[in-house]
Amino acid sequence: MKKLAVLALAAALLVTGCSSSDPSSGTDGGPPEAGTLRILAGSELADMQPVLDEAAKATGVKVKFTFTGTLEGAESLSNGSLDGKYDAVWFSSNRYPAGIPEAAKRLGNQVKIMSSPVVLGLSQPVAQRLGWDKSAPTWGDIAAATGKKEFTYGMTDPSASNSGFSALVGVASALAHSGTAIDAQQISAVTPQLTQFFSAQVMSAGSSGWLSDAFQRRATGQDPGAKVDGLVNYESVLLSMNSSGKLPQPLKLIYPSDGVVTADYPLTLLTRASNDARDAHQRLTDYLRTPDVQRRIMQVTQRRPVVPGVQLGAQFVPHDLVELPFPATQQAVDALLSAYFSKIRRPSRTLYVLDTSGSMQGDRIQALRSALAGLTGADNSLVGRYRQFRSREEVTMLPFNTAPGQPVTFTVPEQNPQGELAKIKSFAEGLQADGGTAIYDSLDRAYQVMEPLVAQDPDRFNSIVLMTDGQNESGSNLDGFKSSFASLPAAMKQNPVFTVLFGEGSGDELTQVATMTGGKVFDARNTQLSSVFQEIRGYQ
């Protein structure tokens, strides 16, 4: 039980963005260099590069980033695989590694650099209709409005992104009305209101950045998905969207009157860092906290300053925010995440279009079997535990080679899911490689299979995952798929395809498929297929 609780607590340590590397797989920050900090960071910190380039000129300290999801980073921190490979970590928050003994003992000097609360961005007409342009609602007011379908919104998956988890914590804490951190018993009491709140969520993502981009594409008609009224995201992301000029009109930022949860971005030295790294960390953090640089960070990233006396920009309204408490116990974190996936959020439906052609023989088909089996619970790592198939989820497997195979659908029950998960694992382990590669006939077939499922039960997150290791050899080509996709009913066009590059798969064609359908490309050519399948789970 203790191990489960620690894993649950660590699951909350999440950050937006996709991993550009997996630190636990052997990739590291490179050899130590004088004047260089090797930092493992959340990918959202990429927007700090202009400030860090200026810092290098002013201080002589260079930053070498390796980006990762913080869940993956937390596991690497805890198991010691970062020792000697990195000098520092820079996540959105250090609230959670402090509660994981093996991770906490590796966290050294922590210096907060900037902050950004998680808030609601809503279209101006909807905000005006609800009266929230003049008076801030509570989270309870927002939950009541979403329960009545007054508006729809997108939010990141709390098992893959800090903004999503912060929103979940914030809503739950505010609805509990306790004034203290929510506990496991209170979570049960607020589950009906949380279910109301999440009933209006129509977009999910593993990355705040991808979520905002998808929202912008939908708002401007570049994405076939239905338009969404708002986003729950970092204030900095919403302000950046407003200032980009890419939206038809700016979003109204809603700051719930009963509080928010804020990311504070501590640049954290690791305890085993060298003396050179300690000196570089000191020089860099001192520089980043100077008033002029704090103002520069506001300008570049739209995050708030953390140094007293630095005046906030006019875009940061209101200036004073109520900070909601985080869960105080590991059991509360576990209960909150478990309730979210098993009871609160809308369930998902995923159709996997799986290449089993002859080129997949050997290690490749085994990698596919292992990746799918890992999603049934066979992968007991920290990441694997929170990215497996979930209760109430509908999963369809459609293997293909020269032609699409027979689709098989599984529905994971809310109670005692182990039996159905075992069936999925058995199916995955029975996949065999042979024949040619009919990518687009199989993708057409996927939409045909999904259409009656959606009609029968429309209240799900729907997506298609296309994984192939080669070029299309049989049946229709990309142009044929484009034509068939254009003829689909509007409701079916709103189901995105997440494409997986593997082996010799055509990056150009799979990118076109993902873009056309409102999906995303994931690259498994230089990393484990199982890691990529886990990453996709944050978007389903």
Side-chain angles (χ1 to χ4, degrees), residues 2-23:
K2 182 177 179 181
K3 180 180 180 182
L4 292 177
V6 170
L7 290 173
L9 183 65
L13 176 62
L14 307 166
V15 100
T16 61
C18 309
S19 303
S20 63
S21 67
D22 178 1

Side-chain angles (χ1 to χ4, degrees), residues 333-465:
V333 172
D334 184 39
L336 187 56
L337 286 173
S338 296
Y340 175 80
F341 288 118
S342 64
K343 297 179 180 180
I344 294 170
R345 68 158 256 166
R346 296 167 57 212
S348 62
R349 171 186 292 114
T350 310
L351 195 154
Y352 288 83
V353 186
L354 305 169
D355 189 342
T356 57
S357 62
S359 61
M360 287 286 292
Q361 288 182 358
D363 291 343
R364 292 182 179 181
I365 194 68
Q366 184 54 45
L368 177 58
R369 293 171 187 149
S370 297
L372 291 171
L375 298 182
T376 68
D379 181 352
N380 199 41
S381 68
L382 173 58
V383 177
R385 289 183 59 82
Y386 290 97
R387 302 285 171 83
Q388 60 185 269
F389 295 125
R390 297 153 181 156
S391 65
R392 306 176 298 148
E393 183 170 0
E394 186 178 281
V395 179
T396 297
M397 300 293 182
L398 178 61
F400 73 92
N401 44 44
T402 307
Q406 183 66 32
V408 180
T409 298
F410 308 87
T411 302
V412 183
E414 185 172 341
Q415 304 295 329
N416 302 316
Q418 290 76 16
E420 197 72 0
L421 292 173
K423 291 179 183 178
I424 300 176
K425 184 172 184 287
S426 177
F427 179 90
E429 291 174 341
L431 292 173
Q432 300 295 324
D434 191 26
T437 310
I439 295 173
Y440 298 108
D441 280 359
S442 303
L443 200 49
D444 280 335
R445 178 62 179 144
Y447 276 100
Q448 293 169 7
V449 170
M450 183 169 274
E451 187 167 6
L453 297 175
V454 172
Q456 181 180 357
D457 182 9
D459 193 30
R460 289 178 178 267
F461 290 105
N462 299 303
S463 64
I464 295 171
V465 177

